[in-house]
Amino acid sequence: VSDTLDVSIKGKKEDFISILKDIVSLMTENKDFYLGIPLGGALNFLSPSDTPPAYLLTGLPETGKTLRLSLINFLVRQPQPLDFTTISEAFIKSQFHKIKAFICIDNVSDGNRKSADRLTTLLYLNEISPHTSYIPLILASTKIKNPSNKRLLHLKIEEKNDELLEEYSKILQKILH
């Protein structure tokens, strides 16, 4: 569909497995459900279930929302989440069915009418595209305060864990290398 949504596989399988083990070990040791729950939701594209179609991570800046999205994105493509403006209504309506995996989207906002309309469209993508079975959306935002959409599982990061974020950053650097 585009370079930023490329899901082609590159690199060595052994390296991928090693890095994935590092992510899961660190996440499990630290009981980081802010990564664990959306990661599990992302993996549901392999086996659809009754889990929510969208996950929202909110919290103060520098609490690791984008970093977590990057680690989840590593499962299917380059570890660079899309920013919200990259996804347009035209793209959603005409090409979403071509995407065969979940999407991580950063900097989501419901602060103005256009953004709110886009967010609503994103949350109802499964109904828009008959070609899609289940594609979870993993969103991050500092601007959405009280989401009322029932199709959204809201996880609010309450505190910053500098040590954990530093370890996640090391893993991300290994991925990028």
Side-chain angles (χ1 to χ4, degrees), residues 52-55 84 87 89 92-93 96-97 103 105 113 115-137 139 147-152:
Y55 300 83
F84 196 57
I87 304 282
E89 289 94 337
I92 290 166
K93 290 174 183 170
F96 187 76
H97 64 276
I103 304 178
I105 302 171
R113 190 67 242 152
S115 289
D117 288 344
R118 283 186 181 159
L119 180 58
T120 302
T121 304
L122 283 170
L123 293 175
Y124 286 93
L125 278 175
N126 289 337
E127 295 166 20
I128 290 171
S129 175
H131 307 287
T132 273
S133 56
Y134 174 85
I135 298 181
L137 296 158
L139 315 167
S148 59
N149 196 304
K150 292 186 173 104
R151 297 172 59 84
L152 194 62

Side-chain angles (χ1 to χ4, degrees), residues 73-112:
N73 244 7
F74 161 69
L75 293 172
V76 292
R77 62 182 154 273
Q78 59 179 309
Q80 179 182 350
L82 300 170
D83 66 52
F84 196 57
T85 56
T86 305
I87 304 282
S88 68
E89 289 94 337
F91 170 77
I92 290 166
K93 290 174 183 170
S94 66
Q95 301 205 45
F96 187 76
H97 64 276
K98 295 180 183 177
I99 299 170
K100 303 300 181 193
F102 55 87
I103 304 178
C104 292
I105 302 171
D106 207 358
N107 300 316
V108 177
S109 169
D110 62 357
N112 63 52

